[in-house]
Amino acid sequence: MSDKLSTRPYKGTRDFYPEEQRLREWMFNQLRRSVNQYGYEPYDGPMLELFELYAAKTGSEIVNEQLYHFEDRGGRKVAMRPEMTPTLARMVAAKANQLPRPVRWFSLPNLWRYEQPQRGRLREHWQLNVDLLGVEGVEAEVEIVQVAIDVLRGFGAGPTDFEVQINHRELMNDLFDKVLKLEPGQTQAVAKAIDKRAKIPAEAFYDLLTAAGCNAEQIETLEKFLVCPLLDIPSIVGEGKGYTDLIRFFDTVNAMGLGPVCRFNPSIMRGLDYYTGIVFEVYDQHPDNRRALFGGGRYDNLVGMFGNTQMPGVGFGMGDVTLKDFLEVHGLLPEITSQTDVLVGLFSAEMFIASQTLARSLRAGGIKVEAVLSPQKLGKQFQYADKKGIPLVVMVGPDEAAEGKATIKDLRSGQQQTVEQRELMARLQVMLHS
Ligand code: HAM
């Protein structure tokens, strides 16, 4: 066995070399711009929380199979956050009486889940969380779904590139309890089967339901429900709150012209236990990436877990991994080169102070400047700038220094010109913005 350490990161995590980091920052900045347009404010919290924060409501799959948890040195059971919503609810509950309502917050935390790494799924990911708390009616869902749509549009996605698929937890509860009359122990297995339905053959779906203890009649009713248009839902489940909320939601988004990107899909379950109302998932429509990109929903009882104040909430979480896949298949990822504007080259060791002084004066004028520190062949210096995507190289040799001049080489066109140093800044600005 080698005594050398591995350079590979821990399975399911990523290193972000500058090239990847640039792309990520571009993505994050675009996300921030989109949510800022709706007045959402940034917040953050700790990466470690008490285990019990997740045990209560996060859902058994995450808690039992995916949570990174351990005992700290003081014997407290702690967990690395697998999602942000419990932290958000805890923070909002702590200041519930002081916060102006509605609360509009967003965050971009890194989250940890022990998953089998695969396309769209890693063990550490970053997730845009956008949440609106303090609004009871579907107006909140109407806003949150608009934010979700505009986040994708902000990247240049067109209206047919994705679809928001919408369902309601109460509709499902009514179906399970009043129509199918499932035993409490059965609902979880049936919900899981529905969640998987789009990804498995019809027989496998049937087998899962049978294994969950459903009889032929229950399966037939469920199959009918899962392909039922929204307007016909009352014939199966009646006109409960789930149905009326959905009708109000769709009436509103249709009137706003957002109807074509929103669709009722009665098989959207969402894995988390705390959802109480409308739930949704955004699906990529590209044939090579037909999968859920992100999701969210209404959670009315989460803040109330921490004290006496109830505050309803609606929000979504969008992962960076699935977002990048989406942007990639739709050709929406830009080529992002260096942020540096100018490389100040070094003609010879004797010119070090002159070139450093020049670099300082350019930086003071607001130009982003890298400076060469040790003498190298000029060709090498140009190659370095080219490789890093720096468009301009400025060089001062002894003759130019004596005459108060400098030479600019534009690596984009290959052209070179010598200018007075006092004109250099203005000339560079023009060239950078050309
Ligand atoms: P979630 O469905 O568990 O919801 O995750 C939301 C999104 O995060 C997923 O659709 C996916 O884009 C991304 N994601 C989740 N797990 C991974 C992973 N292992 N690797 C890469 N990406 C992943 C929640 O977490 C809710 N707390 C969202 C929410 C906010 N609901 C209301 N407010």
Side-chain angles (χ1 to χ4, degrees):
M1 237 184 47
S2 160
D3 59 351
K4 300 285 187 200
L5 296 174
S6 170
T7 55
R8 280 213 222 127
Y10 168 64
K11 188 174 174 185
T13 69
R14 291 160 291 170
D15 292 326
F16 295 95
Y17 284 85
E19 202 180 312
E20 289 113 28
Q21 182 66 5
R22 276 203 295 269
L23 191 66
R24 223 156 76 95
E25 282 177 5
W26 168 82
M27 259 168 54
F28 287 5
N29 286 336
Q30 179 52 46
L31 292 172
R32 289 189 188 100
R33 264 197 296 279
S34 294
V35 295
N36 279 336
Q37 283 211 298
Y38 281 81
Y40 285 74
E41 291 188 286
Y43 72 98
D44 206 348
M47 202 168 73
L48 278 187
E49 290 273 15
L50 289 176
F51 176 86
E52 63 201 34
L53 184 67
Y54 305 110
K57 288 265 182 186
T58 286
S60 58
E61 189 183 5
I62 292 184
V63 174
N64 298 334
E65 294 164 36
Q66 300 178 342
L67 200 61
Y68 281 84
H69 62 86
F70 58 93
E71 211 175 88
D72 75 5
R73 288 173 193 268
R76 292 166 210 92
K77 198 167 175 188
V78 291
M80 282 158 80
R81 58 185 177 199
E83 58 153 338
M84 197 60 174
T85 318
T87 300
L88 165 81
R90 180 177 63 67
M91 288 170 62
V92 168
K95 298 208 169 176
N97 296 326
Q98 291 126 273
L99 294 171
R101 296 192 200 183
V103 175
R104 286 189 169 91
W105 283 5
F106 81 93
S107 193
L108 262 166
N110 58 333
L111 306 176
W112 290 83
R113 297 183 191 183
Y114 191 76
E115 298 224 36
Q116 198 46 44
Q118 54 188 289
R119 184 171 169 88
R121 283 276 176 273
L122 291 173
R123 290 185 175 165
E124 183 191 31
H125 77 281
W126 274 256
Q127 195 189 78
L128 171 71
N129 276 252
V130 183
D131 288 271
L132 168 58
L133 294 103
V135 179
E136 276 174 17
V138 296
E139 294 75 19
E141 281 88 339
V142 170
E143 174 165 312
I144 282 291
V145 166
Q146 282 183 78
V147 178
I149 292 171
D150 285 343
V151 161
L152 291 178
R153 290 206 175 154
F155 285 103
T160 55
D161 291 341
F162 62 91
E163 187 174 65
V164 187
Q165 301 189 1
I166 292 147
N167 196 8
H168 200 295
R169 268 287 164 91
E170 285 196 34
L171 200 60
M172 301 313 279
N173 292 343
D174 286 350
L175 175 80
F176 293 162
D177 301 341
K178 296 182 191 155
V179 181
L180 301 177
K181 299 192 167 48
L182 299 180
E183 301 292 329
Q186 280 182 292
T187 40
Q188 207 177 357
V190 173
K192 246 188 153 167
I194 296 174
D195 198 36
K196 286 201 179 137
R197 182 170 163 266
K199 290 169 246 160
I200 56 177
E203 308 85 68
F205 179 57
Y206 192 92
D207 291 346
L208 282 177
L209 294 175
T210 316
C214 295
N215 60 35
E217 197 190 332
Q218 286 171 315
I219 295 177
E220 198 188 324
T221 310
L222 180 59
E223 298 268 21
K224 239 171 74 190
F225 172 85
L226 291 175
V227 293
C228 186
L230 180 57
L231 292 176
D232 297 340
I233 283 287
S235 68
I236 302 177
V237 189
E239 281 196 24
K241 182 169 186 308
Y243 175 73
T244 48
D245 276 358
L246 285 169
I247 289 291
R248 285 191 52 213
F249 174 85
F250 277 103
D251 280 351
T252 313
V253 292
N254 285 337
M256 292 173 67
L258 298 169
V261 280
C262 299
R263 180 165 72 87
F264 169 60
N265 179 352
S267 49
I268 296 295
M269 281 307 308
R270 305 277 304 133
L272 298 151
D273 286 355
Y274 47 70
Y275 292 121
T276 52
I278 285 185
V279 285
F280 66 93
E281 296 220 317
V282 179
Y283 274 77
D284 194 343
Q285 297 298 91
H286 195 285
D288 297 343
N289 197 45
R290 276 193 178 271
R291 56 195 345 266
L293 293 170
F294 61 100
R298 173 174 284 273
Y299 48 93
D300 282 349
N301 305 326
L302 216 43
V303 174
M305 286 198 322
F306 298 90
N308 299 327
T309 316
Q310 289 289 342
M311 206 195 298
V314 183
F316 68 82
M318 171 198 246
D320 63 336
V321 189
T322 42
L323 173 61
K324 188 165 167 240
D325 289 345
F326 174 82
L327 298 176
E328 223 156 39
V329 294
H330 291 276
L332 298 171
L333 279 181
E335 170 123 21
I336 300 172
T337 50
S338 165
Q339 300 290 300
T340 310
D341 301 318
V342 170
L343 178 75
V344 171
L346 183 59
F347 187 86
S348 62
E350 294 70 44
M351 297 306 294
F352 183 73
I353 291 173
S355 79
Q356 285 283 305
T357 309
L358 181 68
R360 281 182 73 74
S361 72
L362 296 180
R363 287 185 195 116
I367 293 182
K368 294 183 218 96
V369 179
E370 253 193 73
V372 178
L373 298 179
S374 40
Q376 277 174 329
K377 290 208 172 98
L378 294 188
K380 274 252 161 85
Q381 299 187 33
F382 292 141
Q383 258 175 24
Y384 174 83
D386 199 36
K387 206 164 168 189
K388 289 199 70 180
I390 304 173
L392 304 173
V393 179
V394 172
M395 196 67 80
V396 195
D399 298 345
E400 285 143 332
E403 292 168 25
K405 291 185 172 168
T407 298
I408 309 170
K409 180 160 174 122
D410 188 334
L411 295 180
R412 297 165 298 189
S413 63
Q415 279 173 359
Q416 196 163 304
Q417 53 183 304
T418 299
V419 300
E420 300 286 338
Q421 280 193 20
R422 58 190 151 75
E423 283 171 19
L424 182 61
M425 180 78 76
R427 189 65 67 94
L428 290 173
Q429 295 287 14
V430 170
M431 292 172 81
L432 285 168
H433 296 113
S434 66

